[in-house]
Amino acid sequence: MKKVLSIPLVTIISLACIVSGCGQNKEVVTDNAEATQSVSSISLLNIKGEVKSQIEALAKQYQTETGIEVKVLGVETGADAQATLKGYYLADQMPDIIACESSGFGNWEGLLVDMSDQEWVKRTDAAYIDPAYGTLGFPYTTEAIGLAYNADILEKAGVDPSTITGPESMRAAFETIDSQKDTLGITSVIGYCTEPENLGWSAGNHITGAYIDSGLSRSDTTYIDLMSDGGGIDETRFSNFAQMIELFNKYSDPALLTDGVYDDQVMGFASGKYAFITQGSWIGATLTGDDADAYAGAGNFKVGMVPYAFEEGMDTILTSAPSWWAVSKEGHVDAALAFLQWCSEDNGQKILVEQAGFASPFTDCKYVASDPFAPVISSYISAGKTSSWHWMEMPDGLGQKGLSFVYNKFAKGELDTDGFIEEFKNVAGEWYKTH
């Protein structure tokens, strides 16, 4: 586990606990069922703003069945969830159930409950397991990263997505669609956005993840290992990757490319304005949820996903649990564990899959999401054409607070392709030296 907190912050947290009595009057770790029954409410931090209403529905159903209230605390899309959590911790208001991406677990070393003995662990291979501290993360969904597309637009343009197998075919597809923009009634070929302050997680993490893992077996750590060794990159592979980013810059909506926001990006795709979008399967919940009217107006088009094939023959999309729920040792532990167990079972899975549109990580789940991307993920998984999310092993903040600004400068024309490559190396190298 990476220790991401700086020593001064750890010291501050420790002192804060001494002064304020962190965890006083809260439930301690115990197997006593009576302790769970005595708890009237627990709190959960939801970092997936696109399914806010669905997680609240999950909490309401649990309260209906058990009488225990689950207070759902939200984090706006693009906000720094770990910074929010640190604020809760210092104020002695740590949620009972927190949410962490892979790199975030290092912030809470020794403070999270090992859930290795929980029944749900036997029914999934997607739990977050730390070699020193055990099973710390409960997986609530599986997501995919790839170049998502509007199948109706591609069909009308005469582009077969199965032919997009490398950089030349990708470029040809973009050029073909671009030449028919007026006929197709679209704004641009792709909705790609590099705004770093609120959307830095998109390019900085997910698009970088395509460089790290595209085309590789799930266990192949070649490029994350190289990056971890002082921020190094493979010059040839990254040069090919940079040319794909240059293509995105050229064919994206100019109004979105450098200053747009997530909601506008997804709404543009839902409305049929873009043939492609650089977001993952999680936007399916938005297409059928908050943007349902726009999506219906665009014909409820079929969606698909092709690999980020910046080299010929890359045929995988990237799949993983994007984040996990974890239980704080200083909270209402038994009640929190009981809630997570319920979430893994029938009634919880029904809401998480059918309402939130999540692809279940549990082997015995009988529900199939109506999310338009659900069959896309399933087809790649069943074909064994998935790569991992090793970008999650980058130091906390590197993608969102460091690399995202490099993508933005490239999109603004402040860097040419060679400059993008050099700046990426410099930022990554410096980040690894100082973090």
Side-chain angles (χ1 to χ4, degrees):
M1 177 183 289
K2 298 182 178 68
K3 297 183 180 180
V4 182
L5 284 180
S6 63
I7 292 176
L9 184 52
V10 172
T11 303
I12 291 171
I13 289 176
S14 299
L15 290 174
C17 287
I18 292 172
V19 173
S20 63
C22 286
Q24 288 181 350
N25 300 319
K26 293 184 180 180
E27 180 183 336
V28 296
V29 181
T30 174
D31 291 327
N32 188 347
E34 294 180 1
T36 302
Q37 295 172 357
S38 69
V39 175
S40 61
S41 70
I42 59 174
S43 54
L44 177 150
L45 184 72
N46 172 42
I47 64 174
K48 296 186 69 59
E50 68 271 21
V51 289
K52 176 178 181 290
S53 61
Q54 293 91 332
I55 299 302
E56 289 173 346
L58 182 77
K60 184 176 181 180
Q61 179 62 31
Y62 187 70
Q63 183 173 9
T64 298
E65 294 186 24
T66 66
I68 298 175
E69 179 186 16
V70 180
K71 298 178 181 177
V72 179
L73 310 174
V75 176
E76 292 299 320
T77 300
D80 188 336
Q82 289 300 303
T84 300
L85 270 175
K86 290 169 189 174
Y88 278 126
Y89 192 102
L90 289 170
D92 195 20
Q93 296 178 347
M94 190 72 159
D96 298 294
I97 301 173
I98 68 172
C100 278
E101 295 180 343
S102 179
S103 61
F105 280 95
N107 291 336
W108 312 107
E109 189 166 349
L111 300 177
L112 302 177
V113 175
D114 178 4
M115 297 184 281
S116 301
D117 63 347
Q118 296 297 292
E119 188 277 335
W120 60 259
V121 174
K122 304 173 185 176
R123 297 183 284 111
T124 182
D125 60 2
Y128 181 88
I129 301 174
D130 180 84
Y133 293 95
T135 301
L136 301 183
F138 173 92
Y140 50 89
T141 186
T142 298
E143 291 182 344
I145 295 172
L147 185 55
Y149 63 82
N150 177 324
D152 290 357
I153 292 176
L154 267 63
E155 183 178 2
K156 291 174 183 176
V159 173
D160 180 353
S162 69
T163 65
I164 302 176
T165 59
E168 295 307 316
S169 52
M170 185 184 294
R171 181 177 298 277
F174 277 38
E175 291 174 349
T176 297
I177 295 169
D178 186 64
S179 69
Q180 302 177 53
K181 279 196 306 183
D182 293 341
T183 303
L184 295 169
I186 64 175
T187 301
S188 66
V189 174
I190 185 170
Y192 168 56
C193 184
T194 65
E195 192 282 320
E197 295 292 345
N198 299 298
L199 199 56
W201 52 270
S202 181
N205 288 331
H206 299 159
I207 304 297
T208 300
Y211 156 72
I212 294 171
D213 277 305
S214 285
L216 304 184
S217 69
R218 298 193 64 83
S219 61
D220 192 332
T221 60
T222 298
Y223 301 105
I224 189 61
D225 289 345
L226 186 59
M227 184 175 283
S228 298
D229 186 17
I233 64 171
D234 180 281
E235 295 285 348
T236 301
R237 181 178 172 91
F238 196 88
S239 177
N240 293 331
F241 170 76
Q243 291 175 42
M244 181 182 71
I245 303 304
E246 184 178 35
L247 187 73
F248 293 172
N249 289 340
K250 180 178 180 180
Y251 288 104
S252 185
D253 181 356
L256 178 73
L257 180 59
T258 59
D259 299 309
V261 296
Y262 175 81
D263 289 346
D264 291 342
Q265 184 185 20
V266 179
M267 175 59 82
F269 182 71
S271 303
K273 293 181 179 180
Y274 311 136
F276 297 93
I277 185 173
T278 55
Q279 287 293 343
S281 62
W282 51 86
I283 68 170
T286 307
L287 297 183
T288 56
D290 291 345
D291 292 352
D293 289 344
Y295 186 45
N300 289 318
F301 53 85
K302 182 181 179 181
V303 301
M305 192 174 283
V306 295
Y308 281 114
F310 55 87
E311 292 183 346
E312 190 60 45
M314 287 181 167
D315 59 357
T316 62
I317 61 172
L318 282 55
T319 64
S320 177
S323 59
W324 295 261
W325 287 336
V327 175
S328 168
K329 286 183 177 179
E330 297 178 353
H332 299 114
V333 172
D334 286 334
L337 292 175
F339 173 71
L340 293 184
Q341 178 62 35
W342 178 85
C343 285
S344 79
E345 296 170 354
D346 191 79
N347 288 354
Q349 286 295 290
K350 182 176 177 63
I351 295 174
L352 289 170
V353 173
E354 293 189 341
Q355 293 188 36
F358 289 163
S360 176
F362 293 97
T363 56
D364 59 344
C365 179
K366 66 184 182 182
Y367 301 104
V368 178
S370 59
D371 182 297
F373 283 100
V376 178
I377 301 175
S378 296
S379 65
Y380 274 99
I381 290 175
S382 62
K385 298 296 184 180
T386 68
S387 300
S388 191
W389 282 20
H390 287 111
W391 61 266
M392 297 178 82
E393 296 177 19
M394 296 191 304
D396 192 25
L398 170 57
Q400 185 165 352
K401 297 179 181 179
L403 300 177
S404 65
F405 290 90
V406 184
Y407 287 92
N408 189 245
K409 290 170 71 174
F410 190 24
K412 287 180 175 178
E414 296 175 8
L415 299 171
D416 61 13
T417 304
D418 289 340
F420 170 68
I421 296 170
E422 289 304 311
E423 182 111 349
F424 187 101
K425 288 194 297 185
N426 291 339
V427 170
E430 186 61 30
W431 203 277
Y432 274 94
K433 286 180 183 178
T434 58
H435 293 76

